[in-house]
């Protein structure tokens, strides 16, 4: 069944993909697994785009299908934890408009007991600084899927340092364009390319047992 969902998304069969995903959940399927499969499908769409087999229109439609599936899948993950583990200011960095992964991480973090303040996409460095001043979070999370966003992350960390705010917070970066070397370059404390791992790392950053 999950195989069918994956195939339908990659082949741009919107109705088919949405119906199969609904069927899977109605049959007692696991919401987290479904999202993982959707993410794999987006990876495959990205590969076809790189090879020139798909164009921007397919990236857009792929994103739309994913968003449709998220609408009925994410509420199944929302556990509504009463615990208050800490506060996260979260945004997709400047130059980058991808929001799907950020939104998934937000739901996972909230379900685990974090309060998340989402400051949006294509977020200027100054907006992160302002948000940290206003909300006094424990953690700043930056999402980045494109190469241009790597510089934005570094600039954001630099601006936080300039404002004297860096020492009071932990910084985690996430998304398809991050890895250990990007973490080092940007001056972040941790990186994650999946939401569940991201939440575990946030707990670790605040000294909690996981
Ligand atoms: C859908 C899509 C789009 C949609 C986005 C729709 C939307 N509302 O988000 C649209 C059509 C707008 C788009 C536009 C573009 N895109 Co695009 N897009 C994609 C695609 C196919 C899927 C992205 C996605 O949603 N993935 C699914 C999510 C769930 O995965 P994720 O983001 O990695 O998130 C997970 C984790 O990383 C983590 N996570 C995410 N954020 C965070 C944050 C924190 C703090 C933590 C802890 C964890 C975390 O949790 C999530 C769940 O596990 C990718 C291909 C790919 N492989 O990713 C290309 C891709 C990212 N796009 C690409 C490109 C080139 C573009 C464009 C430049 C195309 C163009 N010519 O205009 C523009 C850029 C626009 C811009 N300025 O940002 C390239 C980037 C290459 C690069 N290295 O720079 C990719 C990789 C495709 C490719 N292989 O070439 N795109």
């Amino acid at each position: 069944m999950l195989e069918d969902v994956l195939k339908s998304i990659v082949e741009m069969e919107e109705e088919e993909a949405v119906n199969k995903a609904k069927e899977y959940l109605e049959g007692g399927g696991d919401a987290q697994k479904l999202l993982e499969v959707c993410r794999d499908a987006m990876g495959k769409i990205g590969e076809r785009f790189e090879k020139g087999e798909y164009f921007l229109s397919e990236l857009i439609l792929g994103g739309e299908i994913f968003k449709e599936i998220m609408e009925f899948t994410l509420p199944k993950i929302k556990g509504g934890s009463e615990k208050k583990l800490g506060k996260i200011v979260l945004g997709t960095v400047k130059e980058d408009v991808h929001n799907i992964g950020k939104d998934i991480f937000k739901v996972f973090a909230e379900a685990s007991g974090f309060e998340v303040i989402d400051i949006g996409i294509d977020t200027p460095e100054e907006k992160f600084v302002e948000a940290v001043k206003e909300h006094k979070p424990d953690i700043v999370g930056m999402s980045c899927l494109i190469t241009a966003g790597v510089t934005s992350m570094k600039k954001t960390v630099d601006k936080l340092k300039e404002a004297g705010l860096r020492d009071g917070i932990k910084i985690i970066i996430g998304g398809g364009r991050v890895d250990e070397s990007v973490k080092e370059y940007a001056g972040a404390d941790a990186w994650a390319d999946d939401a569940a791992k991201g939440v575990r790392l946030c707990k670790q950053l605040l000294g909690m047992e996981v």
Side-chain angles (χ1 to χ4, degrees):
M1 177 69 90
L2 283 174
E3 269 297 302
D4 294 338
V5 176
L6 183 129
K7 191 168 160 286
S8 308
I9 299 176
V10 177
E11 297 302 331
M12 302 284 137
E13 297 158 355
E14 186 172 4
E15 221 182 299
E16 191 86 350
V18 171
N19 289 339
K20 291 241 159 72
K22 278 188 183 151
E23 250 177 71
Y24 171 74
L25 286 181
E26 279 158 14
D30 180 48
Q32 200 161 328
K33 273 202 189 119
L34 176 61
L35 287 177
E36 276 164 24
V37 160
C38 292
R39 189 179 169 217
D40 290 346
M42 302 308 264
K44 290 200 170 11
I45 293 171
E47 281 166 24
R48 290 193 184 185
F49 176 74
E50 266 176 294
K51 284 190 206 149
E53 295 167 6
Y54 273 178
F55 300 96
L56 191 56
S57 51
E58 277 89 5
L59 284 191
I60 295 172
L61 182 55
E64 290 303 320
I65 300 175
F66 199 149
K67 275 201 250 166
E68 260 185 79
I69 295 177
M70 279 208 303
E71 261 171 43
F72 54 85
T73 309
L74 286 183
K76 301 222 177 277
I77 289 169
K78 255 191 176 124
S81 170
E82 290 305 311
K83 288 179 284 175
K84 281 284 161 270
L85 299 185
K87 204 189 276 184
I88 304 175
V89 159
L90 175 69
T92 301
V93 294
K94 193 172 168 187
E95 310 277 350
D96 190 343
V97 303
H98 296 83
N99 71 323
I100 295 172
K102 166 182 72 62
D103 292 353
I104 293 178
F105 172 67
K106 179 181 179 199
V107 169
F108 274 57
E110 285 178 341
S112 297
F114 283 98
E115 181 188 350
V116 181
I117 291 125
D118 185 349
I119 57 172
I121 56 171
D122 191 11
T123 313
E125 298 91 23
E126 297 75 18
K127 196 168 170 186
F128 275 100
V129 173
E130 287 312 312
V132 171
K133 281 185 187 159
E134 185 185 343
H135 300 288
K136 301 184 176 43
D138 305 285
I139 297 174
V140 168
M142 292 189 266
S143 186
C144 171
L145 270 81
I146 60 172
T147 304
V150 173
T151 314
S152 308
M153 285 192 287
K154 180 170 170 41
K155 284 189 184 160
T156 304
V157 177
D158 289 346
K159 289 268 181 209
L160 287 165
K161 277 185 195 157
E162 273 169 37
L165 298 165
R166 176 67 181 94
D167 291 342
I169 50 170
K170 298 291 181 190
I171 299 180
I172 183 166
I173 58 175
R177 192 55 192 87
V178 308
D179 57 22
E180 184 64 26
S181 64
V182 172
K183 183 202 97 175
E184 292 299 323
Y185 170 76
D189 298 306
W191 69 276
D193 56 6
D194 93 64
K197 186 170 144 202
V199 172
R200 277 200 304 280
L201 285 168
C202 284
K203 289 181 186 167
Q204 277 173 1
L205 285 173
L206 300 185
M208 293 167 206
E209 298 235 348
V210 285

